[in-house]
Amino acid sequence: MNTPKVNVCTKVGCSRRTLARGLCSAHYQQWVSRQKGYGRFTSIYVDATPALEHVDTLLDTGIGIRTLAAAAGVSTRTVQRLLSRRSVNGPVTVRSCTAAALLAVRAVPPAPCALIDATGTRRRLQALVALGWPQKMIAHELGMVSTNIGRIVHGRSDRVTVAKAAEVTALYTRWEMLPGPSMRARGLAAAHHWIPPLGWEENTLDDPHATPIPASCLSTAHP
């Protein structure tokens, strides 16, 4: 049976395992010290904070770790290991090439079944109810059970699929300027202080930190 080959330090007489550049830990540290003294040392590791923040932002859009890793050209294990180190006390570092690869990923379309934050979907549904569209009619248009619509509208579901968010957005675009037939729906929305379409800037609907337009700034009364 073949014995696995163990890489040993290239320094003559040293049999310890290599750490980097063909040197064991002790000899590598000596080399680093000399390079620093000459002003020539450049670490292969960098602060992982920017890469971690960027990865978190991408994951929040519904991109899976595997998809993100493939887009960056790194292994899934590499991304998982980086994310797991956030709980480590002290600075977290990552290879500069890995950080650069992750930071280069700008946008990856998430899979239709990927889960994303439901804030925008919930606000759009609430706005339609405020216009007078009852949840049963909305559910029928979306091919959903009305109880599932209710879970989103009342904030009991904080994640939705990418596909469902897109369907709700399309319906909202069609109905946002059309008053619905139900006074009861309007009353329900008013009781819960749900914001109608005119109360939101279009580009803020999906931002969890965004706030509605103040009523005093609305120049047009809503139906």
Side-chain angles (χ1 to χ4, degrees), residues 107-194:
V108 180
C113 60
L115 293 174
I116 59 173
D117 180 71
T119 297
T121 300
R122 180 172 62 254
R123 288 172 176 169
R124 288 179 175 89
L125 291 174
Q126 290 176 348
L128 292 179
V129 176
L131 267 179
W133 294 103
Q135 294 175 52
K136 282 188 177 181
M137 290 185 68
I138 294 173
H140 177 75
E141 284 293 317
L142 295 172
M144 294 178 65
V145 178
S146 57
T147 52
N148 289 339
I149 287 287
R151 288 180 58 81
I152 300 171
V153 170
H154 289 280
R156 292 193 292 271
S157 293
D158 58 2
R159 309 284 278 180
V160 295
T161 64
V162 168
K164 189 56 62 184
E167 291 172 8
V168 170
T169 297
L171 179 62
Y172 178 82
T173 300
R174 284 167 45 207
W175 283 4
E176 64 177 313
M177 299 303 291
L178 299 175
S182 175
M183 289 300 297
R184 184 177 179 181
R186 291 189 182 91
L188 175 67
H192 288 283
H193 305 289
W194 292 343

Side-chain angles (χ1 to χ4, degrees), residues 36-69:
K36 286 182 177 179
Y38 300 145
R40 297 197 299 246
F41 179 72
T42 301
S43 176
I44 61 173
Y45 293 94
V46 296
D47 180 11
T49 301
L52 273 170
E53 292 177 348
H54 186 61
V55 168
D56 284 338
T57 298
L58 291 172
L59 293 179
D60 284 343
T61 68
I63 297 172
I65 290 179
R66 289 184 180 179
T67 303
L68 171 57

Side-chain angles (χ1 to χ4, degrees), residues 11-28:
K11 281 288 185 179
V12 177
C14 182
S15 60
R16 286 173 292 201
R17 287 175 179 268
T18 57
L19 172 68
R21 295 182 177 271
L23 301 172
C24 67
S25 178
H27 287 122
Y28 177 69

